Amino acid sequence: MKERLRQAIQAALQGCFDAGSLNSGIVPEVQIEVPGNPQHGDFSTNVAMMMARAEKKAPRQIAETLITALGEPNDFWQKVEIAGPGFINFTLAPTCWYQVLDRVASENVTFGRSEAGRGHKVQVEFVSANPTGPLHIGHGRGAATGDAVAAVLEATGYEVQREYYINDAGNQINTLGRSLLLRYRELQGETVAFPEDCYQGDYIVDLAREVLEAEGNRLLEMPETEAVNWFGTFGGDRILTGIDADLQAFGISMDHWFSEKSLFDNGAVKEGLAQLAERGLSFEQDGATWFRTTEFGDDKDRVLVRSNGETTYFASDVAYHMEKLSRGFETIIDVWGADHHGYVPRMKAVFSGLGYSPETLQVILVQLVNLLRGGEQVAMSTRSGEFVTLREVVDEVGRDACRFFFLMRRSDSQLDFDLELAKQQSTENPVYYVQYAHARVCSINRNATEQGVALPGPGEADLTRLSLDEELALAKLLARYPETLLGAARHYEPHRVIFYLQELAAQFHSYYNREKVLVEDAAISQARLALVNAVRTVVRNALELLGVSAPERM
RNA sequence: GGCCCCGUAGCUCAGCUGGAUAGAGCACUCGCCUCCUAAGCGAGGGGCCACAGGUUCGAAUCCUGUCGGGGCCGCCA
């Protein structure tokens, strides 16, 4: 609708130039926005003000000329006004808006989707927690965010892959192996000093017990390094399986799991390093190999190979991202915890160094989650193993509330997650508020069926019977859903969908309280059923993207 | 010391590529179920958009500086 208006304006402008009523010949990009104040119409453009300088005329005068060129009101726009310093406000004909309801009905599950990103391959890498312990609440936010970003991109036509990067090569796996081995010995009566740098959580003891039951004490015989390796591999596998299960329970399934270790096994790390050297991007100093990231905006050069010959995590990451690029993704999105933000410049430097635009890499930084219970902070410390796992939270508050809460804030602002609030079934809880809108429409539909009233199919209801302001306003809001999705996708901001949903639910609840849908007049009932079912469809479609269910009753 | 993020109502936060009178939820006060689900709705108070400059026809939004809060700065991952 916006596009159609834009074209009309552009055509009118061209007409003005051709006719000589405007003469700068400079056509600015026509910006159209939805005014905050409904009295200012449905759409508004500031072209006249933008052109004032080039035309050397007053904005209002330019607006005047432009309006004349636009011609008489028609079945598309109903009214054009010049307002304020030179805004041109358009009010569209109600029928335009009601057409949206038919579109929602006929497109149904695909309403809101678009082809904007068609032909673009995007990868979203998220969670990627070390396989050394269960997912905790912070990972949950990253998971919800990454999945929603991926979903929103898919909905706008991008080809998306969800990937999990498994850090199974660094010395944290070694630490895991050591931790398990020590607990294993302990279970067999040995007194061991359990070091502080080992993983403290109870899950380590549980895993060790599992090994004891399955393998007996045969691992005691094994030479220490071999045993540590064995336990590291075993533990990593088991924990990763658990992580996958936790993600599944959270409604997330990865398309691809990528092992860091595989980059070593197939020589990708070595080859990557060789390529960097060849391109003159790395150099030797103090016995170590460095990436010249300072040449690309980083404030310090970074070590790739330590003087003891071991590669750094950074080296793996360079190789990993080279590998991603070779898979043909045009955009690579990494979802990281905000504590890694210092890592962004060096990773972007890698892209620049390799001849790619740094924009190819998009990093979404997810801020910490502050876990509360009834306003009281819940203590957490990974060190001591006292953390709240994602699984525990999902079990306690449910998947819907959990995912919704994680997405309620933009990812770069800290999030307070109150367990009590998330569980509450009250007006305070925004999850239920939105879901309730859906359930209410379903309830209306059930009543209609009971009364022998058939639900209108697409195009069947006489929508001109929707004569109330609230009805028009609802239709307009529904019409904005596709562009809301597009905005959320373009900016990687799924929270926009949440805010949209809350607004839509609010308008629906208000309407519901004011007007009855099923009334005496059958034609009006039909029209209203079409309207509220369009609301239902959009609520359901949007919730689906966010991984939240749309219950039919509550 | 360097760099990054943030500062909007009592609290938690939106504010789209700069636009017209800055919004929502919670909390607080008052009102609404003989009527499709009250997990709902309506009404009300509440603001120097941290501060000071600058750019612009126009700034919460962009730039600079100051103050305040948080974070990062390893040949760890």
Side-chain angles (χ1 to χ4, degrees):
Chain A
M1 215 152 314
K2 221 183 212 178
E3 265 324 299
R4 193 170 154 194
L5 187 61
R6 192 195 309 278
Q7 281 163 18
I9 294 169
Q10 235 136 21
L13 271 175
Q14 198 53 56
C16 290
F17 290 137
D18 294 346
S21 52
L22 291 176
N23 35 41
S24 70
I26 303 165
V27 186
E29 199 194 328
V30 176
Q31 292 181 24
I32 295 175
E33 55 198 35
V34 180
N37 185 339
Q39 290 191 344
H40 294 135
D42 296 323
F43 292 109
S44 160
T45 181
N46 58 1
V47 268
M49 288 180 283
M50 306 265 298
M51 293 173 71
R53 178 164 290 187
E55 285 290 333
K56 300 197 177 90
K57 278 184 195 155
R60 293 189 69 110
Q61 196 185 337
I62 299 170
E64 205 66 69
T65 312
L66 188 55
I67 285 177
T68 312
L70 274 166
E72 292 300 307
N74 50 40
D75 60 352
F76 179 47
W77 52 270
Q78 211 176 33
K79 197 168 76 174
V80 187
E81 285 174 323
I82 304 173
F87 288 102
I88 306 176
N89 296 336
F90 295 83
T91 303
L92 302 195
T95 50
C96 287
W97 296 110
Y98 288 136
Q99 280 164 12
V100 172
L101 302 184
D102 283 331
R103 260 187 62 208
V104 176
S106 57
E107 293 179 19
N108 197 5
V109 291
T110 62
F111 178 76
R113 293 183 172 254
S114 62
E115 293 296 316
R118 189 148 61 140
H120 288 266
K121 279 181 74 178
V122 179
Q123 189 208 46
V124 185
E125 180 219 317
F126 60 112
V127 189
S128 299
N130 287 346
T132 54
L135 294 180
H136 57 69
I137 187 83
H139 296 127
R141 188 178 187 192
T145 304
D147 192 56
V149 166
V152 158
L153 285 168
E154 275 172 346
T156 47
Y158 293 85
E159 189 184 323
V160 182
Q161 182 186 48
R162 291 168 172 81
E163 180 154 300
Y164 188 114
Y165 181 52
I166 310 161
N167 295 122
D168 52 2
N171 51 33
Q172 76 278 7
I173 290 294
N174 206 277
T175 306
L176 176 67
R178 266 168 53 222
S179 309
L180 282 168
L181 177 59
L182 289 172
R183 291 300 191 206
Y184 174 76
R185 287 188 183 154
E186 210 171 40
L187 286 170
Q188 290 173 84
E190 236 179 88
T191 314
V192 300
F194 199 77
E196 262 193 36
D197 65 340
C198 280
Y199 298 113
Q200 310 287 326
D202 290 340
Y203 63 93
I204 296 290
V205 182
D206 295 341
L207 271 177
R209 185 171 296 121
E210 214 177 288
V211 173
L212 185 60
E213 276 158 21
E215 308 284 337
N217 62 2
R218 72 171 181 94
L219 296 159
L220 286 180
E221 325 279 304
M222 219 181 252
E224 173 134 348
T225 25
E226 202 180 314
V228 167
N229 265 331
W230 189 93
F231 274 101
T233 309
F234 169 84
D237 283 352
R238 290 309 302 269
I239 290 171
L240 202 59
T241 306
I243 286 174
D244 190 16
D246 288 354
L247 286 174
Q248 297 282 351
F250 200 38
I252 292 171
S253 70
M254 295 288 172
D255 299 313
H256 197 225
W257 298 73
F258 192 97
S259 152
E260 177 187 3
K261 193 161 165 292
S262 72
L263 292 169
F264 289 93
D265 295 346
N266 67 16
V269 173
K270 197 172 262 179
E271 200 187 310
L273 289 172
Q275 266 194 49
L276 296 185
E278 206 176 302
R279 290 166 176 257
L281 295 168
S282 61
F283 62 96
E284 307 282 324
Q285 190 186 309
D286 306 330
T289 308
W290 303 67
F291 194 129
R292 228 179 269 284
T293 48
T294 45
E295 251 181 52
F296 308 98
D298 198 4
D299 54 357
K300 225 191 251 183
D301 288 324
R302 307 292 172 176
V303 173
L304 291 161
V305 185
R306 289 180 260 167
S307 49
N308 67 5
E310 285 175 34
T311 56
T312 59
Y313 178 77
F314 181 50
S316 300
D317 236 10
V318 171
Y320 178 38
H321 283 85
M322 287 170 99
E323 204 280 340
K324 289 189 189 190
L325 285 166
S326 76
R327 279 188 260 164
F329 296 111
E330 275 114 1
T331 304
I332 289 168
I333 301 172
D334 287 3
V335 180
W336 294 346
D339 52 337
H340 286 72
H341 87 263
Y343 210 77
V344 177
R346 84 185 69 165
M347 227 34 242
K348 292 233 179 206
V350 170
F351 278 68
S352 302
L354 293 171
Y356 291 88
S357 158
E359 293 300 298
T360 306
L361 174 69
Q362 294 290 328
V363 180
I364 300 175
L365 294 173
V366 179
Q367 278 284 357
L368 294 179
V369 177
N370 213 354
L371 197 63
L372 308 170
R373 185 181 291 281
E376 297 275 315
Q377 184 122 20
V378 176
M380 275 191 288
S381 148
T382 319
R383 264 189 91 68
S384 61
E386 287 170 29
F387 48 77
V388 179
T389 65
L390 174 62
R391 176 69 79 148
E392 282 163 1
V393 177
V394 172
D395 286 347
E396 184 175 342
V397 310
R399 181 174 132 184
D400 288 344
C402 206
R403 290 194 69 156
F404 198 95
F405 267 68
F406 280 140
L407 296 171
M408 263 181 1
R409 305 267 173 270
R410 29 184 314 158
S411 55
D412 56 9
S413 77
Q414 283 200 14
L415 171 72
D416 286 336
F417 190 120
D418 195 311
L419 292 165
E420 290 307 318
L421 177 60
K423 268 196 295 188
Q424 253 175 58
Q425 306 197 349
S426 74
T427 86
E428 290 177 49
N429 195 331
V431 189
Y432 293 101
Y433 185 77
V434 172
Q435 289 181 320
Y436 189 40
H438 183 268
R440 268 185 154 170
V441 178
C442 292
S443 170
I444 295 171
N445 289 344
R446 283 191 295 271
N447 280 301
T449 310
E450 244 171 64
Q451 292 172 27
V453 176
L455 300 186
E460 280 175 24
D462 175 9
L463 300 173
T464 60
R465 301 305 301 268
L466 297 171
S467 53
L468 303 171
D469 288 347
E470 297 94 311
E471 291 165 341
L472 191 57
L474 264 175
K476 287 178 185 178
L477 190 51
L478 291 170
R480 261 172 41 205
Y481 176 59
E483 64 199 69
T484 301
L485 262 190
L486 198 55
R490 290 250 156 92
H491 297 264
Y492 315 120
E493 290 183 343
H495 77 275
R496 293 186 189 202
V497 180
I498 296 267
F499 279 89
Y500 173 82
L501 274 171
Q502 296 192 81
E503 193 182 343
L504 180 59
Q507 266 194 43
F508 167 75
H509 286 310
S510 173
Y511 175 66
Y512 176 93
N513 269 271
R514 234 173 141 122
E515 304 295 334
K516 243 174 100 80
V517 171
L518 302 171
V519 290
E520 292 283 318
D521 187 323
I524 292 181
S525 290
Q526 287 294 297
R528 290 183 176 176
L529 277 170
L531 176 65
V532 297
N533 274 286
V535 171
R536 170 173 115 92
T537 299
V538 170
V539 169
R540 188 243 288 133
N541 289 358
L543 284 177
E544 152 104 48
L545 288 180
L546 306 176
V548 179
S549 71
E552 300 200 352
R553 25 181 121 231
M554 292 171 75

